[in-house]
Amino acid sequence: MLKVSPNVKFSYNYIKGSVADRKKVVSSLNEKFFEELQSMNTSNITIRDFKSVYNKVLPEKMKVEIKQLKELKIFEGASDYQYDSRNYISRITLEVPIKKSKISRDSLVTIMHENTHILDTLANPKHTSLTQKLYRAGQYGRKRDDWFINVLYCKNKTNDNKESILEVVKEKTKEFLKGKSNSDKILHLQMQDMNLNRNSMHILNN
């Protein structure tokens, strides 16, 4: 496993145990963050107060950058990795809609969703290690994004039965992996298996 920066992972003293145990910690932290923001008696939260609450709730100092959501994005919120000069993940970004240095309370549900991904990352360094290994190997690109978004996570808009849908996913996955080395195939499949498990746990806990 590639070394993960302490700036983007909780220490083992704080996070240990099974995946389910870590999910409980993530849910607890996110709920605490939400409660702190909800307790503010204002319709809009200043970015300064938002950052203050965020840093207060995090049990350890992490490199999470809170920034303005880019206008060109089609999402209401976003989170992403930032890489250093050696292509290692050095920080995580939480992008939120900010107007006049303030965040609307109407955005809190979306922010909590994105923050779940961030806390999951901090609590699961193995996932971060796999991500940067794929990135450093040049395995991220348009083909990978298309497979990830339009095959694995595409909502079914047809009347096809489950078996037919799974067969399509199987064939398109084989097509995406074609020509890759066995080690790269394993990396991609491990990564998506971890994503699916984490998303399933997120659904069960909400």
Side-chain angles (χ1 to χ4, degrees):
M1 184 170 74
L2 281 179
K3 184 178 180 181
V4 175
S5 169
N7 293 326
V8 291
K9 68 173 181 178
F10 288 135
S11 69
Y12 185 72
N13 291 332
Y14 183 74
I15 286 291
K16 53 187 173 182
S18 67
V19 173
D21 291 333
R22 295 180 183 217
K23 290 304 296 184
K24 289 178 182 177
V25 172
V26 167
S27 295
S28 177
L29 283 175
N30 216 16
E31 287 173 12
K32 185 177 180 181
F33 181 46
F34 185 74
E35 289 168 1
E36 290 276 352
L37 293 174
Q38 284 284 66
S39 68
M40 294 182 177
N41 189 25
T42 177
S43 58
N44 295 300
I45 304 166
T46 66
I47 187 63
R48 180 178 179 179
D49 286 342
F50 184 91
K51 289 180 178 180
S52 177
V53 169
Y54 197 89
N55 291 327
K56 173 185 172 183
V57 171
L58 281 183
E60 298 175 328
K61 189 175 181 180
M62 296 287 115
K63 284 288 184 72
V64 179
E65 180 185 359
I66 298 165
K67 57 190 294 188
Q68 167 72 52
L69 180 70
K70 296 177 183 177
E71 293 183 3
L72 294 178
K73 286 186 178 291
I74 61 173
F75 309 105
E76 296 178 0
S79 55
D80 202 1
Y81 294 114
Q82 297 293 308
Y83 294 82
D84 62 19
S85 59
R86 298 178 301 155
N87 290 332
Y88 282 93
I89 295 170
S90 59
R91 68 177 61 217
I92 310 169
T93 62
L94 172 59
E95 296 183 31
V96 298
I98 302 171
K99 291 184 179 179
K100 297 181 179 179
S101 299
K102 292 185 178 181
I103 300 169
S104 170
R105 292 173 72 90
D106 294 337
S107 303
L108 291 186
V109 173
T110 298
I111 291 171
M112 293 304 100
H113 174 80
E114 294 303 328
N115 195 44
T116 299
H117 295 313
I118 289 175
L119 294 173
D120 269 338
T121 296
L122 297 176
N124 294 280
K126 184 176 180 180
H127 185 273
T128 305
S129 179
L130 279 172
T131 299
Q132 64 186 14
K133 190 170 184 178
L134 282 169
Y135 184 84
R136 288 167 59 83
Q139 292 297 313
Y140 276 105
R142 185 174 298 176
K143 287 183 66 176
R144 184 264 176 192
D145 290 343
D146 180 66
W147 171 63
F148 180 80
I149 296 171
N150 298 320
V151 178
L152 296 184
Y153 289 91
C154 182
K155 292 183 179 179
N156 179 36
K157 297 181 180 179
T158 71
N159 294 321
D160 293 344
N161 58 35
K162 180 179 178 180
E163 288 73 19
S164 297
I165 295 169
L166 290 176
E167 187 61 31
V168 170
V169 171
K170 178 182 176 181
E171 290 305 314
K172 289 190 175 181
T173 296
K174 288 171 66 176
E175 181 180 339
F176 167 72
L177 296 174
K178 185 177 180 181
K180 300 184 183 302
S181 67
N182 288 337
S183 59
D184 285 343
K185 289 178 182 178
I186 291 171
L187 277 177
H188 280 289
L189 293 175
Q190 281 182 328
M191 185 72 171
Q192 300 325 313
D193 183 55
M194 292 180 71
N195 279 329
L196 289 170
N197 285 334
R198 289 168 71 192
N199 286 341
S200 296
M201 289 299 297
H202 175 62
I203 291 170
L204 289 172
N205 288 326
N206 287 278

